[in-house]
């Protein structure tokens, strides 16, 4: 039996854009302030945002595992738009994630 109430709430709360921090920043304990500022700006204009920024204290979790988690979270959010932050050194990591989410059916 379908839970229409939960389904409706998910549709109402679905973000319009997902802002993604690359997994290369997972071991940094810096809060993604640029995303927070951008999200506040967009939310004032009624554009719902979700920030994807995984942090890890565990040294046994590698960047590939965090990349997989990030891709899964992007697909779960399923926002119409996805924005990535990226420094030159993170370019290939971000491009891998973009390719992976497209392969998994994200449009």
């Amino acid at each position: 039996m379908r839970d229409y109430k939960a389904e409706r709430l998910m549709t109402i709360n679905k973000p319009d854009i997902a802002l993604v921090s690359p997994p290369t920043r997972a071991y940094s304990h810096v809060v993604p302030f640029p995303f927070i500022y951008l999200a506040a700006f967009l939310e004032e204009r009624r554009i719902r945002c979700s920030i994807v920024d995984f942090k890890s204290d565990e040294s046994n979790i590698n960047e590939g595992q965090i990349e997989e988690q990030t891709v899964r979270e992007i697909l779960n959010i399923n926002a119409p738009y996805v924005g990535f932050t990226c420094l030159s050194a993170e370019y290939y990591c971000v491009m891998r994630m973009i390719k992976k989410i497209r392969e998994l059916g994200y449009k």
Side-chain angles (χ1 to χ4, degrees), residues 17-105:
I17 185 167
L19 303 172
V20 183
S21 186
T24 51
R25 300 181 189 186
Y27 302 106
S28 166
H29 297 288
V30 176
V31 176
F33 285 113
F35 276 167
I36 293 169
Y37 296 138
L38 180 58
F41 174 83
L42 293 170
E43 298 259 341
E44 281 180 351
R45 285 147 184 83
R46 300 193 190 283
I47 299 170
R48 294 177 304 265
C49 299
S50 180
I51 297 173
V52 181
D53 181 49
F54 284 102
K55 298 294 183 198
S56 177
D57 286 334
E58 300 177 34
S59 58
N60 61 341
I61 296 178
N62 66 32
E63 192 177 301
Q65 290 171 312
I66 296 169
E67 190 174 310
E68 288 295 321
Q69 271 186 303
T70 304
V71 167
R72 278 195 304 267
E73 185 63 21
I74 292 167
L75 293 171
N76 286 340
I77 292 170
N78 196 28
Y81 300 98
V82 179
F84 290 88
T85 186
C86 180
L87 298 173
S88 299
E90 300 164 329
Y91 174 79
Y92 292 108
C93 174
V94 169
M95 292 307 292
R96 262 194 323 272
M97 288 194 315
I98 291 169
K99 183 179 177 185
K100 200 169 291 184
I101 63 174
R102 285 183 177 163
E103 286 172 355
L104 294 172

